[in-house]
């Protein structure tokens, strides 16, 4: 791919974001990833959570190769490349990117060109999915979705983030009126840098809002389920990933006895909390917190889960992530126990994966998270399965397996289209 206007694009993006910082705080300087190389490294099956802790690298994502081997993608700063290439990790690695900064620039350039499409009060068309957008534009987009289906939707707030932003989204219902049917509950962008997740969730919302008028399958699912959708459950981290550090993952919680900032919201839930695949170390990317639900974001989402459980039960929960192309069933915290209905779950996931592959032949794996990806303790889907009693308590890792978090904007729409195909299969079964 060829990129132009990179520097101008980045500067404009920062200028367009002037919403995040209280006036008494300086806007932090954006971290440059110019010249960073990204390597995919093979690691041992029992590699612990901080396997790359001493390597001069930023851990991006663990996944399984086509052969099933565990790999980890690492970003290495220009000054550390020779040290890294002299280390053991380099021996079994491939290069994914020669300049991560150039890929970031291409990503922001497009969002600057089209981020004005959200004319206030009118639902943008498919051009919304040509670019990534600043947080304030997402908030406006949810209001626009509500305005497009005013009698069957409302804006919702599950609680507040550590920095005090509302954790907000939209609730949609059908002919029986609100809060009358079992829940379909979607959470997006829990990990800040996984930008594709919130915008694919918005594509799903767009299809529901526009389809309800005429598409019998959409009418059926919305008449039979209440949708509760929170596209960005980690707003502080998301904003920080746009203003300051594109690779930020956690929330922005400050701990009185630690210098490192941020807890992994997806390791802070109560079920399996503190087990393997999470870290007690505040500087780890998978820091679990000091106690279950001690982040405001997780506490709010857990309370919301219990509310939906008590209302009419939860049919389907999806915590949307990237990147790996995997449908993750419970459990993540244990590889040896399974939900009682695991066969039913695998059958549904297989049908969804087959439907996802139809438009572009994109391959999605599926199975219990601990087996098909890696162990992760204290995650949302295990909590919504066990405490929330969801019939299907899942995480879905979106595209891709090459560009990672910096998925080119040209892939937003295809990513939404294939996921909507997968969900239409689910709706046909519900
Ligand atoms: C919403 O309901 C009100 C009152 O029943 C009705 O007047 C209005 O036309 C409806 N709006 C839409 C967009 O269907
Ligand atoms: C930091 O405080 C938490 C309680 O908030 C405690 O559990 C933890 O052990 C403390 N860590 C250190 C290094 O003091
Ligand atoms: C689809 O993907 C599979 C597996 O990745 C591959 O074997 C097959 O050739 C692909 N089909 C098309 C039409 O590209
Ligand atoms: Zn994630």
């Amino acid at each position: 791919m060829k990129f132009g206007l990179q520097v101008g694009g980045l500067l404009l993006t920062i200028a367009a974001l002037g919403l995040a910082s209280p006036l008494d705080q300086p806007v932090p300087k954006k971290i440059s990833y110019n010249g960073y190389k990204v390597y995919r490294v093979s690691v041992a099956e029992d590699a612990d959570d901080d396997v790359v802790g001493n390597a001069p690298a930023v851990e991006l994502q663990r996944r399984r190769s086509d052969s099933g081997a565990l790999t980890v993608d690492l970003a290495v700063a220009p000054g550390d490349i020779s040290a890294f290439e002299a280390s053991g990790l380099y021996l079994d690695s491939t290069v994914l990117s020669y300049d991560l900064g150039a890929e970031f620039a291409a990503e922001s350039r497009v969002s600057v060109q089209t981020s004005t499409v959200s004319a206030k009060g009118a639902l943008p068309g498919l051009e919304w999915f040509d670019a990534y957008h600043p947080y304030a534009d997402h908030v406006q987009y949810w209001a626009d979705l509500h305005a497009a289906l005013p009698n069957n939707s409302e804006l919702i707030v599950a609680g507040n983030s550590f920095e005090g932003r509302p954790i907000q989204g939209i609730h949609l219902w059908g002919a029986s009126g609100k809060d009358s049917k079992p829940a379909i509950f979607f959470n997006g962008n829990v990990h800040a840098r996984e930008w594709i997740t919130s915008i694919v969730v918005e594509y799903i919302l767009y299809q529901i809002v526009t389809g309800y008028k005429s598409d019998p399958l959409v009418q059926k699912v919305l008449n039979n389920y209440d949708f509760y959708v929170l596209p960005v459950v980690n707003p502080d981290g998301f904003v920080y990933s746009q203003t300051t550090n594109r690779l930020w993952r956690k929330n922005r919680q400050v701990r009185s006895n630690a210098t490192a900032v941020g807890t992994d919201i997806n390791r802070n839930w109560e079920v399996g909390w503190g087990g393997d695949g999470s870290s007690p170390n505040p500087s780890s990317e998978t820091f679990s917190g000091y106690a279950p639900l001690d982040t405001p974001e997780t506490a709010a989402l857990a309370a919301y889960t219990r509310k939906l459980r008590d209302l009419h039960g939860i049919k389907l929960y999806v915590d949307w992530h990237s990147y790996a192309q995997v449908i993750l069933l419970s459990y993540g915290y244990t590889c040896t126990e399974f939900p009682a209905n695991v066969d039913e779950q695998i059958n549904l996931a297989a049908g969804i994966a087959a439907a996802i592959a139809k438009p572009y032949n994109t391959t999605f794996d599926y199975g219990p998270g601990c087996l098909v990806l890696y162990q992760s303790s204290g995650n949302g889907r295990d909590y919504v399965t066990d405490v929330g009693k969801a019939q299907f308590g899942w995480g879905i890792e979106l595209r891709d397996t090459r560009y990672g978090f910096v998925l080119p904007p040209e892939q937003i729409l295809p990513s939404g289209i294939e996921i909507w195909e997968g969900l239409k299969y689910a709706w046909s079964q519900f």
Side-chain angles (χ1 to χ4, degrees), residues 66-395:
D66 294 342
S67 66
L70 193 60
T71 62
V72 55
D73 296 347
L74 302 174
V76 180
D80 294 328
I81 286 171
S82 51
F84 179 82
E85 294 194 345
S87 77
L89 285 172
Y90 178 66
L91 292 176
D92 196 358
S93 72
T94 53
V95 177
L96 293 182
S97 170
Y98 287 90
D99 188 353
L100 194 55
E103 290 175 9
F104 290 178
E107 180 191 56
S108 352
R109 173 177 60 81
V110 180
S111 70
V112 169
Q113 287 176 345
T114 54
S115 67
T116 53
V117 292
S118 178
K120 299 215 183 317
L123 185 62
L126 289 173
E127 69 275 14
W128 175 256
F129 305 101
D130 291 342
Y132 297 101
H133 305 279
Y135 183 63
D137 287 6
H138 284 284
V139 174
Q140 180 64 44
Y141 188 77
W142 311 330
D144 295 346
L145 285 165
H146 166 55
L149 198 62
N151 291 350
N152 295 77
S153 69
E154 64 185 355
L155 297 174
I156 52 174
V157 174
N160 286 321
S161 68
F162 182 78
E163 292 177 348
R165 291 185 179 84
I167 300 167
Q168 54 191 323
I170 186 165
H171 169 203
L172 303 157
W173 59 83
S176 307
K178 73 171 180 175
D179 293 322
S180 62
K181 298 290 181 181
I184 292 175
F185 185 27
F186 288 165
N187 288 179
N189 240 143
V190 56
H191 289 141
R193 60 198 180 183
E194 298 168 7
W195 290 3
I196 187 63
T197 63
S198 43
I199 198 156
V200 163
V201 165
E202 288 167 350
Y203 184 83
I204 296 164
L205 288 167
Y206 177 84
Q207 288 298 335
I208 294 171
V209 164
T210 56
Y212 188 62
K213 296 178 177 73
S214 58
D215 182 335
L217 187 59
V218 175
Q219 289 165 345
K220 181 190 102 161
V221 74
L222 194 53
N223 287 337
N224 288 321
Y225 298 94
D226 276 64
F227 281 73
Y228 304 85
V229 180
L230 303 167
V232 182
V233 300
N234 178 13
D236 300 349
F238 183 68
V239 167
Y240 190 75
S241 77
Q242 295 193 321
T243 57
T244 309
N245 184 350
R246 178 64 187 84
L247 292 182
W248 192 257
R249 166 183 168 98
K250 301 186 283 184
N251 75 354
R252 293 291 303 158
Q253 188 162 357
V254 176
R255 305 280 184 172
S256 59
N257 60 2
T259 50
V261 174
T263 301
D264 186 347
I265 300 172
N266 201 36
R267 297 294 184 277
N268 186 240
W269 300 71
E270 232 163 351
V271 170
W273 182 85
D276 285 349
S278 71
S279 172
N281 176 358
S283 63
S284 167
E285 292 286 17
T286 54
F287 176 43
S288 60
Y290 291 127
L293 308 182
D294 75 352
T295 68
E297 294 87 357
T298 319
L301 296 172
Y304 210 82
T305 299
R306 297 190 300 271
K307 182 182 113 169
L308 297 181
R309 173 197 66 192
D310 295 345
L311 212 47
H312 297 288
I314 300 172
K315 177 77 173 181
L316 169 68
Y317 169 76
V318 181
D319 196 20
W320 296 91
H321 290 261
S322 71
Y323 54 98
Q325 296 175 194
V326 188
I327 302 170
L328 302 169
L329 321 182
S330 293
Y331 294 106
Y333 79 93
T334 168
C335 295
T336 54
E337 287 173 54
F338 305 96
N341 69 344
V342 67
D343 291 339
E344 179 189 23
Q345 296 206 36
I346 287 174
N347 285 337
L348 181 65
I352 292 174
I356 288 173
K358 277 187 204 158
Y360 307 102
N361 201 28
T362 310
T363 307
F364 272 63
D365 290 336
Y366 52 90
C370 190
L371 298 180
V372 80
L373 196 58
Y374 48 76
Q375 193 166 6
S376 84
S377 295
N379 69 64
R381 65 183 185 278
D382 290 354
Y383 183 91
V384 182
T385 294
D386 276 9
V387 178
K389 309 280 183 224
Q391 189 175 349
F392 304 101
W394 290 0

